[in-house]
Amino acid sequence: VVAFNCSPRKEGNTSHMIQDVLKVLNSHGIETEMIQVGGTDIRGCKACGTCGKTKDLKCVMDNDILNSCVLKMAEADGIIIGAPTYFADVNAEAKALIDRGGYVLRANGIPNRRKVGAAVVPARRAGSIHAFDTINHFFTVNEMIVVGSSYWNVSVARAEGDYEKDEEGVKTVRVLGENMAWLLKKLEE
């Protein structure tokens, strides 16, 4: 499972949420990796359409992290995208990953089809459901299987360390990890 931390805060609440899911997956013997996307110079799609012509699983803009992320998505059995809530949606880095990654993947036969996807989203107070939906739309348009939990995979967390204080959010994320591990094992059978 490859996870993408789209928060510019490398050790912030988004990262801690992702790490909790990864710990559960690791406890089930599932190999994981987290990639730091937030805070990089990843840019949005320029709608050139080159990825649909070259079909080489690459975006023509090859001077940022996107192409390595797409390759990881194509190779992984599961994908986690974590993004903070900015003005009731994902931040710019998450949107660039979703938009450009989505175009490249779809132009190349959707190699992440029927793989497992999960979103995790912290928010100061509100807006997280819209951000959560944005990430899940990426999964569903790529024909992925979205993993659920005991509640939406969101947390009330603004300042560093707030996620750990959100008991329901922590429980939800850990149940997400258990459900993701179960599904990955079932798909492997």
Side-chain angles (χ1 to χ4, degrees):
V1 173
V2 64
F4 299 93
N5 179 14
C6 295
S7 173
R9 296 180 180 162
K10 291 180 184 179
E11 290 300 323
N13 293 305
T14 306
S15 173
H16 290 203
M17 291 176 78
I18 293 170
Q19 288 173 31
D20 267 3
V21 178
L22 299 184
K23 284 177 196 169
V24 173
L25 294 172
N26 291 153
S27 75
H28 287 275
I30 297 168
E31 188 178 324
T32 62
E33 177 182 8
M34 183 161 64
I35 297 170
Q36 182 64 37
V37 175
T40 68
D41 290 331
I42 189 169
R43 294 183 325 272
C45 180
K46 63 181 186 176
C48 68
T50 303
C51 59
K53 295 172 188 156
T54 59
K55 298 199 181 295
D56 60 359
L57 204 61
K58 291 182 181 177
C59 175
V60 71
M61 294 187 290
D62 196 22
N63 58 352
D64 63 17
I65 196 171
L66 188 277
N67 284 331
S68 64
C69 292
V70 168
L71 186 58
K72 293 284 186 180
M73 287 181 186
E75 294 171 348
D77 295 320
I79 299 168
I80 298 168
I81 297 177
T85 304
Y86 282 19
F87 295 91
D89 209 343
V90 296
N91 62 334
E93 291 97 326
K95 191 65 170 121
L97 177 70
I98 288 168
D99 289 351
R100 285 176 57 209
Y103 273 116
V104 172
L105 290 163
R106 290 186 60 77
N108 285 271
I110 315 175
N112 51 337
R113 174 185 287 126
R114 296 188 189 106
K115 293 184 179 186
V116 177
V120 295
V121 179
R124 182 188 70 81
R125 184 164 204 73
S128 58
I129 295 302
H130 186 76
F132 180 68
D133 286 345
T134 295
I135 297 170
N136 285 331
H137 290 149
F138 168 80
F139 295 140
T140 58
V141 77
N142 281 292
E143 301 178 36
M144 294 178 65
I145 302 163
V146 178
V147 181
S149 184
S150 53
Y151 197 71
W152 294 281
N153 314 330
V154 301
S155 175
V156 178
R158 179 178 180 244
E160 189 172 332
D162 281 353
Y163 161 66
E164 287 80 5
K165 297 173 191 170
D166 179 8
E167 290 179 29
E168 186 177 11
V170 170
K171 178 185 173 211
T172 299
V173 167
R174 291 182 181 159
V175 170
L176 171 65
E178 292 292 338
N179 290 346
M180 191 171 201
W182 180 87
L183 182 55
L184 286 163
K185 288 179 181 183
K186 286 292 181 187
L187 290 171
E188 193 177 297
E189 291 178 358

